Structures are given as C-alpha cells and as structure tokens.
Amino acid sequence: MKTSLRLTALLCALLFTASSHAAMKALIVDGQNNHDWKGTTPHLKKYLEATGLFEVDVATTPDNKGDMSTFKPDFKKYKLVVSNYNGQDWPKETQAAFEEFVRGGGGFVSVHAANNSFPNWPAYNQMIGLGGWGGRSEKSGPYVYWEAKAAKVIKDIAPGRGGSHGPQHEFAVETREPAHPIMAGLPTKWMHAKDELYDRLRGPAENLTVLATAFATKEKNGTDRHEPMLMTTTFGQGRVFHTALGHAGGGKREAQQCVGFIVTLQRGAEWAVTGKVTQKVPADFPTADQVKLRE
Ligand code: ZN
C-alpha cells in the first residue's frame, strides 16, 4: 500500500513536470533562399527542439515559379516564427497576418539572409531593424555600427548601398549588452566559425538593441567598423531576435554548426517569446580563440 501510494505520488509529480514544461509551438518559414534552406531548416528545427522549449512546424512557400497566393500559414497557432526565407514577396494578406502576429506579441527570429528579404515591406524592415541588398540604400535608413572609442552605437545616414560582405572567414563576436538575457553568462568575446561577415546593413533601426558585433577588417574587404551581428527589436508587443550569422551553401553550413550560432539562436528564440532566458550556457561554447562546432 505504502509503495503504491509512493508510486502514485511519483507519477503525479512526473505528469506535473511534463505538463508544466509543455513545448511552445514554433514555425520555421522557408521555401526560397539563395542559401541552402533545405539543409538548414532541419538543423534549425533540431536545435530549437533540443531546448525542450519548442515544438517546431515548417511552412514552405511555393518556389519562384509557383503560385505564392496559396501561401497562408496560420501564424496565430504559434508563439514563435523563425524565418529561413529570402525570396519573393508574400501575398498582402499573409504580410498583414504576419504583422498582426508580431504586433500582438508573437516572437520572431530572423536568420542570416532573412534580412535580405522584403526590401519594400516597411513593417518587415521595422521588425528586422537592419537589412541588406535588394536595392537597400539611404532611403532604407541609417547604417548602424559600434563605435569602440565612445562605446556606443552610431547611426550613420551617409548615402550608399545597404549590405555587403567580403570572403568568408572565422571572426570574433563581441558582446555589447552583457546584461541582456540573451547574452548574460556568455563569454564576452568568442570565435565564430567561417561565415560571411555582413556589413553596411541599413534599415529603420527603431527600437534596435545591438547585442553583439564583429569587426569587419579591411583585409577581408570590410568596413573597418564593428558591425552588428546579433540584435533585438520590438514591434508592437512583439519581440524580435535578429542574427546576421549563419551562411550555408555549397554543401557547407559550418557557420550554423558553430556552437555560438546555435546557442544564441536558442536563447534568442526563448527571449523572443517570453522575454526571459532559462537556458544554461553549455560547456562546449566557443572561447576567445577557439571555434567550436556541433553536427
Ligand atoms: Zn550568406
């Protein structure tokens, strides 16, 4: 009798634990991208689900010969949308539904070339804060970079193109907001795996917080400036985490295998939904001089 009571209590405790940690529904959007989206979506899904916080669906648009008017995901079913998309405009109705989702408090994560998307969709550019390519220019908003001497973010309205990068290489990522929940506890400087170092991004940059930057050296055709790599914005009640990291193509995706990419994605996704981060920093996080990769 005693044993069965104990078993019942244990079972109740287990059930309670399981239900109190019910996964949040997340949606990855893909289908068009000048990057290997077919290879990276399963990778993003795997590591979002590895947190135990998310259960991830995927919504894939038609290809660029298909009928985009059929693309109408039900964003309302989700707490988080992650974009692995860089392609044709979505139908107006879908754009409106997405705006409503984020404005109403939905979380959004923009990965790498998702910030190339939709140069002519003002609300989307407010969400991502900064973007590149697609004809972006001074009309899109300022350049944003970190001025090391003054230790502050500069918004620069100088005319010029939005978005460029030199050859891929390993580079250091440096924290600029160490107390932010996404960054708290991470090393303040860590080596990122071979990636494109996006520079000259520009956009509305409203409600933008630059969490981390990387120095774009002239030797790698960079701007000689500390460029935003990890950012947050808010849009209405919604929180957005924007990682400029994560190039993938030609059968390679080491930029997304970087433990720094993975962990900041996981933490950024949680923060976008809840405003908090409960995840511990893993032991295999990269250091100031060592890149760390996972499968
Ligand atoms: Zn890329």
Side-chain angles (χ1 to χ4, degrees), residues 34-35 112-113 165 195-196 198 246-248:
N34 58 328
H35 293 73
H112 193 57
H165 63 76
D195 200 348
E196 292 168 345
Y198 275 8
H247 179 79

Side-chain angles (χ1 to χ4, degrees), residues 229-248:
M229 292 294 115
L230 306 176
M231 296 157 258
T232 64
T233 69
T234 54
F235 182 80
Q237 300 298 308
R239 280 178 293 269
V240 180
F241 173 66
H242 174 170
T243 178
L245 306 174
H247 179 79

Side-chain angles (χ1 to χ4, degrees), residues 189-265:
K189 187 172 185 176
W190 48 274
M191 280 307 289
H192 178 47
K194 192 171 169 186
D195 200 348
E196 292 168 345
L197 198 168
Y198 275 8
D199 65 24
R200 298 185 177 89
L201 299 177
R202 51 196 321 167
E206 294 160 10
N207 311 315
L208 179 80
T209 302
V210 176
L211 299 180
T213 61
F215 191 72
T217 63
K218 281 190 168 167
E219 295 76 65
K220 298 288 184 189
N221 300 330
T223 50
D224 208 30
R225 300 199 291 230
H226 295 275
E227 297 284 347
M229 292 294 115
L230 306 176
M231 296 157 258
T232 64
T233 69
T234 54
F235 182 80
Q237 300 298 308
R239 280 178 293 269
V240 180
F241 173 66
H242 174 170
T243 178
L245 306 174
H247 179 79
K252 293 204 187 267
R253 53 178 173 81
E254 60 194 278
Q256 291 205 7
Q257 292 176 270
C258 170
V259 179
F261 172 86
I262 292 167
V263 168
T264 51
L265 173 87

Side-chain angles (χ1 to χ4, degrees), residues 67-113:
D67 177 8
M68 189 58 82
S69 71
T70 61
F71 183 65
K72 295 176 191 169
D74 187 3
F75 298 116
K76 290 192 301 294
K77 278 169 57 187
Y78 299 93
K79 295 281 189 195
L80 177 73
V81 171
V82 177
S83 178
N84 191 23
Y85 182 86
N86 176 22
Q88 291 172 303
D89 286 351
W90 295 344
K92 288 283 175 230
E93 187 187 337
T94 303
Q95 293 188 354
F98 186 62
E99 287 179 34
E100 194 184 324
F101 166 78
V102 181
R103 191 174 277 119
F108 176 45
V109 173
S110 171
V111 177
H112 193 57

Side-chain angles (χ1 to χ4, degrees), residues 130 143-148 150-156 176-177 205 208-211 213 226 228:
L130 295 173
Y143 293 119
V144 173
Y145 52 88
W146 178 263
E147 172 60 57
K152 65 175 187 183
V153 170
I154 302 291
K155 293 184 182 177
D156 177 356
R176 302 305 178 188
E177 292 287 340
L208 179 80
T209 302
V210 176
L211 299 180
T213 61
H226 295 275

